[in-house]
Amino acid sequence: PASSFAAVEEAKEEAAAAAGPAADGEEAEDDEGEGEGEPAFDLLKAQDAKALGNARFAAGEWQLALDAYTEALMWAPSDAEERAVYFCNRAACFLKMEQWETAEGDCTAALEVQPRYVKALSRRLQACEAQEKLSNALADAKMLAEIEQSAQARATVTRLEKKEAEKLEREKEEMMGKLKDLGNMFLGNFGMSMNNFKAVQDEGTGSYNISYDPNA
């Protein structure tokens, strides 16, 4: 029995030695072929995924719609103009989910493909405004007004200009309040306060004249 087992093993080794180089060569060739292959893009599958995303979005299923648009982006070639639509649609999902910064990023990606894409500009405006990035929102609003030439677009510019001015005024008041507190800490050592100083703005130049009143 032992000699029979040894004979079988010896036969196996001889067969492996004879077949080994060819098998190894074939395996290496298959691996090399797979490594050199280009990524599989399919615009038709991308469009199908987008259609599914649209259906999910219409049903209010934001996450499922987002997943479908992400799949569309995976299928679409990197130079396909359709990518702008997929990014923009995914941004709409992020807006619904109040993920403002991510929505802004997807809109920016869409605009890199189509710089004057109205929906992407509009959605990025919305995302920026939600984050209080009013300067960025206003820039997009002005671009939309230039493209659309509509009363609504111009009204949005006016509204954001006012909102930004109000924000700047609030920030200026907060800064002045902090400076006043700091000044009081310093002047208190000399028995004075910022109330002893009065700033009057010159309407002509916009500069301020500072006067001192020890009795204030």
Side-chain angles (χ1 to χ4, degrees), residues 18-71:
D24 290 344
E26 289 172 3
E27 184 176 356
E29 184 177 347
D30 289 344
D31 289 344
E32 183 178 356
E34 290 177 3
E36 292 179 353
E38 293 295 326
F41 295 124
D42 190 325
L43 200 51
L44 290 177
K45 288 184 179 179
Q47 292 289 62
D48 287 343
K50 176 212 168 191
L52 176 60
N54 291 348
R56 297 297 192 187
F57 190 89
E61 298 172 333
W62 317 130
Q63 183 61 57
L64 293 176
L66 188 157
D67 293 342
Y69 295 135
T70 300
E71 182 181 349

Side-chain angles (χ1 to χ4, degrees), residues 76-135:
S78 58
D79 59 349
E81 290 192 0
E82 288 84 354
R83 292 179 67 84
V85 176
Y86 307 155
F87 274 120
C88 190
N89 286 5
R90 194 170 69 172
C93 299
F94 285 125
L95 288 176
K96 290 292 187 180
M97 300 163 71
E98 298 187 358
Q99 296 183 23
W100 312 120
E101 186 175 359
T102 315
E104 179 189 355
D106 267 6
C107 289
T108 298
L111 290 164
E112 288 173 355
V113 181
Q114 295 185 30
R116 294 170 70 86
Y117 188 6
V118 168
K119 282 187 178 180
L121 284 167
S122 179
R123 289 171 184 168
R124 189 170 70 176
L125 184 163
Q126 183 180 345
C128 288
E129 186 175 4
Q131 298 174 82
E132 289 294 311
K133 296 180 178 179
L134 297 181
S135 296

